[in-house]
Amino acid sequence: MSLEKELIQYCNDIISGKIIACRKHKWACQRFLKDLERIGTDGFPYVFDEDKAERYFDWMKLFKHSKGPLAGTQKIPVPYERFVYGNLYGWVNKDTGFRRFRRSYEQVGRKNSKSMDKAIQTLY
């Protein structure tokens, strides 16, 4: 399955309630689906470049967990990470190739490998 189709399915699952999420995450999913429809229209200079997003995920998989029961195993992104980082690194300006989003904010509960995620984001 392509990343775009994977993210569309994820968004539909969030919006339908199959996957429980907060209101803002639902809004992000709705924005993603709406933006896919806007590709190629006037006033929307962005395209979703799966290769750029997958390049980030390939790089992310070079890291290993450093603590806990997963210590020493490869870092594999879970679905919400695929959505968040797919958005950050996949949306680019169709003319320049520059990323659409340069910053993000993520709030995650305790014991969710945040230290490793922050280290990966800083390096990339």
Side-chain angles (χ1 to χ4, degrees), residues 99-124:
R99 289 190 352 226
R100 177 182 182 188
F101 302 110
R102 303 288 303 169
R103 294 184 192 174
S104 71
Y105 174 78
E106 184 176 14
Q107 187 170 336
V108 182
R110 295 180 62 218
K111 305 293 183 183
N112 281 290
S113 72
K114 291 186 300 281
S115 298
M116 179 59 72
D117 287 345
K118 187 171 184 173
I120 291 172
Q121 290 172 21
T122 302
L123 292 171
Y124 197 74

PDB file of all heavy atoms in Angstrom, residues 99-124:
ATOM      1  N   ARG A  99       9.706  22.213   1.781  1.00  0.00           N
ATOM      2  CA  ARG A  99       8.640  21.667   2.619  1.00  0.00           C
ATOM      3  C   ARG A  99       7.590  22.716   2.959  1.00  0.00           C
ATOM      4  O   ARG A  99       7.903  23.890   3.146  1.00  0.00           O
ATOM      5  CB  ARG A  99       9.240  21.113   3.912  1.00  0.00           C
ATOM      6  CG  ARG A  99      10.026  19.856   3.686  1.00  0.00           C
ATOM      7  CD  ARG A  99      10.446  19.109   4.937  1.00  0.00           C
ATOM      8  NE  ARG A  99      10.205  19.754   6.199  1.00  0.00           N
ATOM      9  CZ  ARG A  99      11.115  19.808   7.168  1.00  0.00           C
ATOM     10  NH1 ARG A  99      12.306  19.290   7.014  1.00  0.00           N
ATOM     11  NH2 ARG A  99      10.822  20.371   8.305  1.00  0.00           N
ATOM     12  N   ARG A 100       6.371  22.259   3.058  1.00  0.00           N
ATOM     13  CA  ARG A 100       5.255  23.128   3.445  1.00  0.00           C
ATOM     14  C   ARG A 100       5.319  23.466   4.929  1.00  0.00           C
ATOM     15  O   ARG A 100       5.087  24.598   5.334  1.00  0.00           O
ATOM     16  CB  ARG A 100       3.944  22.419   3.123  1.00  0.00           C
ATOM     17  CG  ARG A 100       2.711  23.182   3.530  1.00  0.00           C
ATOM     18  CD  ARG A 100       1.461  22.387   3.223  1.00  0.00           C
ATOM     19  NE  ARG A 100       0.263  23.110   3.567  1.00  0.00           N
ATOM     20  CZ  ARG A 100      -0.936  22.585   3.535  1.00  0.00           C
ATOM     21  NH1 ARG A 100      -1.114  21.329   3.163  1.00  0.00           N
ATOM     22  NH2 ARG A 100      -1.982  23.297   3.871  1.00  0.00           N
ATOM     23  N   PHE A 101       5.584  22.484   5.739  1.00  0.00           N
ATOM     24  CA  PHE A 101       5.617  22.662   7.189  1.00  0.00           C
ATOM     25  C   PHE A 101       7.061  22.617   7.670  1.00  0.00           C
ATOM     26  O   PHE A 101       7.792  21.689   7.360  1.00  0.00           O
ATOM     27  CB  PHE A 101       4.806  21.566   7.888  1.00  0.00           C
ATOM     28  CG  PHE A 101       3.373  21.501   7.449  1.00  0.00           C
ATOM     29  CD1 PHE A 101       2.909  20.446   6.693  1.00  0.00           C
ATOM     30  CD2 PHE A 101       2.483  22.510   7.793  1.00  0.00           C
ATOM     31  CE1 PHE A 101       1.588  20.375   6.291  1.00  0.00           C
ATOM     32  CE2 PHE A 101       1.157  22.455   7.389  1.00  0.00           C
ATOM     33  CZ  PHE A 101       0.715  21.384   6.635  1.00  0.00           C
ATOM     34  N   ARG A 102       7.438  23.611   8.427  1.00  0.00           N
ATOM     35  CA  ARG A 102       8.792  23.680   8.967  1.00  0.00           C
ATOM     36  C   ARG A 102       8.826  23.394  10.460  1.00  0.00           C
ATOM     37  O   ARG A 102       9.871  23.093  11.009  1.00  0.00           O
ATOM     38  CB  ARG A 102       9.395  25.060   8.712  1.00  0.00           C
ATOM     39  CG  ARG A 102       9.429  25.476   7.264  1.00  0.00           C
ATOM     40  CD  ARG A 102      10.430  24.754   6.426  1.00  0.00           C
ATOM     41  NE  ARG A 102      11.761  24.892   6.964  1.00  0.00           N
ATOM     42  CZ  ARG A 102      12.794  24.189   6.545  1.00  0.00           C
ATOM     43  NH1 ARG A 102      12.629  23.321   5.593  1.00  0.00           N
ATOM     44  NH2 ARG A 102      13.966  24.333   7.070  1.00  0.00           N
ATOM     45  N   ARG A 103       7.691  23.506  11.131  1.00  0.00           N
ATOM     46  CA  ARG A 103       7.625  23.289  12.574  1.00  0.00           C
ATOM     47  C   ARG A 103       6.425  22.430  12.906  1.00  0.00           C
ATOM     48  O   ARG A 103       5.437  22.415  12.174  1.00  0.00           O
ATOM     49  CB  ARG A 103       7.455  24.613  13.317  1.00  0.00           C
ATOM     50  CG  ARG A 103       8.604  25.529  13.224  1.00  0.00           C
ATOM     51  CD  ARG A 103       8.323  26.722  14.076  1.00  0.00           C
ATOM     52  NE  ARG A 103       9.295  27.771  13.788  1.00  0.00           N
ATOM     53  CZ  ARG A 103       9.242  28.960  14.286  1.00  0.00           C
ATOM     54  NH1 ARG A 103       8.256  29.288  15.074  1.00  0.00           N
ATOM     55  NH2 ARG A 103      10.151  29.843  13.991  1.00  0.00           N
ATOM     56  N   SER A 104       6.532  21.768  14.046  1.00  0.00           N
ATOM     57  CA  SER A 104       5.390  21.006  14.539  1.00  0.00           C
ATOM     58  C   SER A 104       5.428  20.997  16.053  1.00  0.00           C
ATOM     59  O   SER A 104       6.460  21.284  16.658  1.00  0.00           O
ATOM     60  CB  SER A 104       5.417  19.575  13.996  1.00  0.00           C
ATOM     61  OG  SER A 104       6.459  18.844  14.591  1.00  0.00           O
ATOM     62  N   TYR A 105       4.303  20.674  16.636  1.00  0.00           N
ATOM     63  CA  TYR A 105       4.209  20.528  18.077  1.00  0.00           C
ATOM     64  C   TYR A 105       3.578  19.178  18.348  1.00  0.00           C
ATOM     65  O   TYR A 105       2.549  18.839  17.762  1.00  0.00           O
ATOM     66  CB  TYR A 105       3.355  21.639  18.688  1.00  0.00           C
ATOM     67  CG  TYR A 105       3.111  21.428  20.168  1.00  0.00           C
ATOM     68  CD1 TYR A 105       4.099  21.731  21.095  1.00  0.00           C
ATOM     69  CD2 TYR A 105       1.918  20.902  20.628  1.00  0.00           C
ATOM     70  CE1 TYR A 105       3.895  21.522  22.441  1.00  0.00           C
ATOM     71  CE2 TYR A 105       1.697  20.692  21.966  1.00  0.00           C
ATOM     72  CZ  TYR A 105       2.685  21.006  22.872  1.00  0.00           C
ATOM     73  OH  TYR A 105       2.491  20.792  24.211  1.00  0.00           O
ATOM     74  N   GLU A 106       4.197  18.434  19.222  1.00  0.00           N
ATOM     75  CA  GLU A 106       3.682  17.117  19.557  1.00  0.00           C
ATOM     76  C   GLU A 106       3.710  16.952  21.063  1.00  0.00           C
ATOM     77  O   GLU A 106       4.722  17.241  21.705  1.00  0.00           O
ATOM     78  CB  GLU A 106       4.544  16.044  18.884  1.00  0.00           C
ATOM     79  CG  GLU A 106       4.048  14.652  19.096  1.00  0.00           C
ATOM     80  CD  GLU A 106       4.872  13.633  18.329  1.00  0.00           C
ATOM     81  OE1 GLU A 106       5.963  13.984  17.850  1.00  0.00           O
ATOM     82  OE2 GLU A 106       4.434  12.493  18.225  1.00  0.00           O
ATOM     83  N   GLN A 107       2.619  16.494  21.619  1.00  0.00           N
ATOM     84  CA  GLN A 107       2.540  16.248  23.051  1.00  0.00           C
ATOM     85  C   GLN A 107       2.183  14.787  23.237  1.00  0.00           C
ATOM     86  O   GLN A 107       1.140  14.329  22.766  1.00  0.00           O
ATOM     87  CB  GLN A 107       1.473  17.154  23.665  1.00  0.00           C
ATOM     88  CG  GLN A 107       1.431  17.098  25.160  1.00  0.00           C
ATOM     89  CD  GLN A 107       0.523  18.183  25.721  1.00  0.00           C
ATOM     90  OE1 GLN A 107       0.273  19.209  25.098  1.00  0.00           O
ATOM     91  NE2 GLN A 107       0.006  17.934  26.907  1.00  0.00           N
ATOM     92  N   VAL A 108       3.063  14.069  23.910  1.00  0.00           N
ATOM     93  CA  VAL A 108       2.898  12.625  24.079  1.00  0.00           C
ATOM     94  C   VAL A 108       3.046  12.287  25.557  1.00  0.00           C
ATOM     95  O   VAL A 108       3.869  12.878  26.261  1.00  0.00           O
ATOM     96  CB  VAL A 108       3.964  11.857  23.254  1.00  0.00           C
ATOM     97  CG1 VAL A 108       3.790  10.363  23.380  1.00  0.00           C
ATOM     98  CG2 VAL A 108       3.901  12.271  21.804  1.00  0.00           C
ATOM     99  N   GLY A 109       2.256  11.333  26.010  1.00  0.00           N
ATOM    100  CA  GLY A 109       2.306  10.912  27.405  1.00  0.00           C
ATOM    101  C   GLY A 109       3.628  10.265  27.786  1.00  0.00           C
ATOM    102  O   GLY A 109       4.461   9.934  26.945  1.00  0.00           O
ATOM    103  N   ARG A 110       3.804  10.039  29.054  1.00  0.00           N
ATOM    104  CA  ARG A 110       5.026   9.431  29.578  1.00  0.00           C
ATOM    105  C   ARG A 110       5.265   8.048  28.985  1.00  0.00           C
ATOM    106  O   ARG A 110       4.346   7.342  28.622  1.00  0.00           O
ATOM    107  CB  ARG A 110       4.926   9.295  31.099  1.00  0.00           C
ATOM    108  CG  ARG A 110       4.863  10.627  31.807  1.00  0.00           C
ATOM    109  CD  ARG A 110       4.763  10.461  33.301  1.00  0.00           C
ATOM    110  NE  ARG A 110       5.955   9.776  33.791  1.00  0.00           N
ATOM    111  CZ  ARG A 110       5.955   8.865  34.765  1.00  0.00           C
ATOM    112  NH1 ARG A 110       4.828   8.535  35.338  1.00  0.00           N
ATOM    113  NH2 ARG A 110       7.069   8.297  35.148  1.00  0.00           N
ATOM    114  N   LYS A 111       6.551   7.699  28.887  1.00  0.00           N
ATOM    115  CA  LYS A 111       6.988   6.353  28.489  1.00  0.00           C
ATOM    116  C   LYS A 111       6.601   5.999  27.049  1.00  0.00           C
ATOM    117  O   LYS A 111       6.198   4.891  26.769  1.00  0.00           O
ATOM    118  CB  LYS A 111       6.435   5.291  29.453  1.00  0.00           C
ATOM    119  CG  LYS A 111       6.778   5.532  30.904  1.00  0.00           C
ATOM    120  CD  LYS A 111       8.250   5.370  31.137  1.00  0.00           C
ATOM    121  CE  LYS A 111       8.567   5.543  32.613  1.00  0.00           C
ATOM    122  NZ  LYS A 111       9.970   5.467  32.872  1.00  0.00           N
ATOM    123  N   ASN A 112       6.723   6.963  26.156  1.00  0.00           N
ATOM    124  CA  ASN A 112       6.394   6.707  24.759  1.00  0.00           C
ATOM    125  C   ASN A 112       7.578   6.991  23.837  1.00  0.00           C
ATOM    126  O   ASN A 112       7.405   7.495  22.735  1.00  0.00           O
ATOM    127  CB  ASN A 112       5.188   7.553  24.331  1.00  0.00           C
ATOM    128  CG  ASN A 112       3.896   6.956  24.804  1.00  0.00           C
ATOM    129  OD1 ASN A 112       3.484   5.924  24.302  1.00  0.00           O
ATOM    130  ND2 ASN A 112       3.259   7.577  25.778  1.00  0.00           N
ATOM    131  N   SER A 113       8.764   6.681  24.277  1.00  0.00           N
ATOM    132  CA  SER A 113      10.016   6.841  23.523  1.00  0.00           C
ATOM    133  C   SER A 113      10.206   8.252  22.989  1.00  0.00           C
ATOM    134  O   SER A 113      10.717   8.458  21.906  1.00  0.00           O
ATOM    135  CB  SER A 113      10.110   5.810  22.388  1.00  0.00           C
ATOM    136  OG  SER A 113       9.212   6.108  21.341  1.00  0.00           O
ATOM    137  N   LYS A 114       9.812   9.251  23.785  1.00  0.00           N
ATOM    138  CA  LYS A 114       9.944  10.634  23.345  1.00  0.00           C
ATOM    139  C   LYS A 114      11.389  11.047  23.174  1.00  0.00           C
ATOM    140  O   LYS A 114      11.715  11.773  22.249  1.00  0.00           O
ATOM    141  CB  LYS A 114       9.258  11.561  24.349  1.00  0.00           C
ATOM    142  CG  LYS A 114       7.751  11.449  24.364  1.00  0.00           C
ATOM    143  CD  LYS A 114       7.137  12.484  25.269  1.00  0.00           C
ATOM    144  CE  LYS A 114       7.583  12.385  26.687  1.00  0.00           C
ATOM    145  NZ  LYS A 114       6.970  11.365  27.495  1.00  0.00           N
ATOM    146  N   SER A 115      12.267  10.604  24.059  1.00  0.00           N
ATOM    147  CA  SER A 115      13.665  11.008  23.963  1.00  0.00           C
ATOM    148  C   SER A 115      14.253  10.596  22.627  1.00  0.00           C
ATOM    149  O   SER A 115      14.953  11.363  21.972  1.00  0.00           O
ATOM    150  CB  SER A 115      14.478  10.393  25.095  1.00  0.00           C
ATOM    151  OG  SER A 115      13.988  10.852  26.330  1.00  0.00           O
ATOM    152  N   MET A 116      13.969   9.394  22.190  1.00  0.00           N
ATOM    153  CA  MET A 116      14.489   8.910  20.906  1.00  0.00           C
ATOM    154  C   MET A 116      13.879   9.701  19.762  1.00  0.00           C
ATOM    155  O   MET A 116      14.556  10.084  18.827  1.00  0.00           O
ATOM    156  CB  MET A 116      14.196   7.424  20.741  1.00  0.00           C
ATOM    157  CG  MET A 116      14.681   6.859  19.419  1.00  0.00           C
ATOM    158  SD  MET A 116      16.448   7.033  19.137  1.00  0.00           S
ATOM    159  CE  MET A 116      17.078   5.839  20.267  1.00  0.00           C
ATOM    160  N   ASP A 117      12.572   9.973  19.825  1.00  0.00           N
ATOM    161  CA  ASP A 117      11.911  10.724  18.762  1.00  0.00           C
ATOM    162  C   ASP A 117      12.502  12.127  18.639  1.00  0.00           C
ATOM    163  O   ASP A 117      12.745  12.611  17.545  1.00  0.00           O
ATOM    164  CB  ASP A 117      10.407  10.829  19.017  1.00  0.00           C
ATOM    165  CG  ASP A 117       9.684   9.513  18.787  1.00  0.00           C
ATOM    166  OD1 ASP A 117      10.276   8.610  18.178  1.00  0.00           O
ATOM    167  OD2 ASP A 117       8.527   9.397  19.226  1.00  0.00           O
ATOM    168  N   LYS A 118      12.738  12.772  19.775  1.00  0.00           N
ATOM    169  CA  LYS A 118      13.292  14.128  19.742  1.00  0.00           C
ATOM    170  C   LYS A 118      14.698  14.111  19.162  1.00  0.00           C
ATOM    171  O   LYS A 118      15.065  14.984  18.380  1.00  0.00           O
ATOM    172  CB  LYS A 118      13.288  14.735  21.137  1.00  0.00           C
ATOM    173  CG  LYS A 118      13.701  16.184  21.139  1.00  0.00           C
ATOM    174  CD  LYS A 118      13.483  16.834  22.467  1.00  0.00           C
ATOM    175  CE  LYS A 118      13.828  18.302  22.353  1.00  0.00           C
ATOM    176  NZ  LYS A 118      13.493  19.032  23.545  1.00  0.00           N
ATOM    177  N   ALA A 119      15.496  13.111  19.508  1.00  0.00           N
ATOM    178  CA  ALA A 119      16.846  13.015  18.966  1.00  0.00           C
ATOM    179  C   ALA A 119      16.811  12.832  17.462  1.00  0.00           C
ATOM    180  O   ALA A 119      17.579  13.448  16.727  1.00  0.00           O
ATOM    181  CB  ALA A 119      17.590  11.845  19.626  1.00  0.00           C
ATOM    182  N   ILE A 120      15.891  12.023  16.962  1.00  0.00           N
ATOM    183  CA  ILE A 120      15.775  11.789  15.524  1.00  0.00           C
ATOM    184  C   ILE A 120      15.371  13.067  14.821  1.00  0.00           C
ATOM    185  O   ILE A 120      15.942  13.423  13.792  1.00  0.00           O
ATOM    186  CB  ILE A 120      14.778  10.655  15.249  1.00  0.00           C
ATOM    187  CG1 ILE A 120      15.358   9.316  15.725  1.00  0.00           C
ATOM    188  CG2 ILE A 120      14.441  10.564  13.753  1.00  0.00           C
ATOM    189  CD1 ILE A 120      14.371   8.169  15.679  1.00  0.00           C
ATOM    190  N   GLN A 121      14.383  13.772  15.357  1.00  0.00           N
ATOM    191  CA  GLN A 121      13.926  15.014  14.708  1.00  0.00           C
ATOM    192  C   GLN A 121      15.032  16.057  14.663  1.00  0.00           C
ATOM    193  O   GLN A 121      15.181  16.765  13.678  1.00  0.00           O
ATOM    194  CB  GLN A 121      12.730  15.577  15.466  1.00  0.00           C
ATOM    195  CG  GLN A 121      11.485  14.757  15.324  1.00  0.00           C
ATOM    196  CD  GLN A 121      10.392  15.251  16.258  1.00  0.00           C
ATOM    197  OE1 GLN A 121      10.410  16.386  16.718  1.00  0.00           O
ATOM    198  NE2 GLN A 121       9.440  14.387  16.553  1.00  0.00           N
ATOM    199  N   THR A 122      15.816  16.145  15.731  1.00  0.00           N
ATOM    200  CA  THR A 122      16.894  17.131  15.789  1.00  0.00           C
ATOM    201  C   THR A 122      17.940  16.838  14.721  1.00  0.00           C
ATOM    202  O   THR A 122      18.443  17.747  14.069  1.00  0.00           O
ATOM    203  CB  THR A 122      17.546  17.113  17.188  1.00  0.00           C
ATOM    204  OG1 THR A 122      16.544  17.380  18.156  1.00  0.00           O
ATOM    205  CG2 THR A 122      18.635  18.162  17.281  1.00  0.00           C
ATOM    206  N   LEU A 123      18.247  15.580  14.523  1.00  0.00           N
ATOM    207  CA  LEU A 123      19.268  15.212  13.539  1.00  0.00           C
ATOM    208  C   LEU A 123      18.789  15.438  12.112  1.00  0.00           C
ATOM    209  O   LEU A 123      19.574  15.795  11.231  1.00  0.00           O
ATOM    210  CB  LEU A 123      19.654  13.738  13.719  1.00  0.00           C
ATOM    211  CG  LEU A 123      20.401  13.419  15.002  1.00  0.00           C
ATOM    212  CD1 LEU A 123      20.536  11.923  15.160  1.00  0.00           C
ATOM    213  CD2 LEU A 123      21.770  14.077  15.000  1.00  0.00           C
ATOM    214  N   TYR A 124      17.530  15.208  11.852  1.00  0.00           N
ATOM    215  CA  TYR A 124      17.015  15.313  10.479  1.00  0.00           C
ATOM    216  C   TYR A 124      16.663  16.741  10.191  1.00  0.00           C
ATOM    217  O   TYR A 124      16.648  17.301   9.234  1.00  0.00           O
ATOM    218  CB  TYR A 124      15.797  14.401  10.286  1.00  0.00           C
ATOM    219  CG  TYR A 124      15.466  14.143   8.848  1.00  0.00           C
ATOM    220  CD1 TYR A 124      16.241  13.292   8.091  1.00  0.00           C
ATOM    221  CD2 TYR A 124      14.398  14.766   8.236  1.00  0.00           C
ATOM    222  CE1 TYR A 124      15.934  13.040   6.772  1.00  0.00           C
ATOM    223  CE2 TYR A 124      14.083  14.517   6.919  1.00  0.00           C
ATOM    224  CZ  TYR A 124      14.857  13.656   6.183  1.00  0.00           C
ATOM    225  OH  TYR A 124      14.555  13.405   4.874  1.00  0.00           O
TER     226      TYR A 124
END
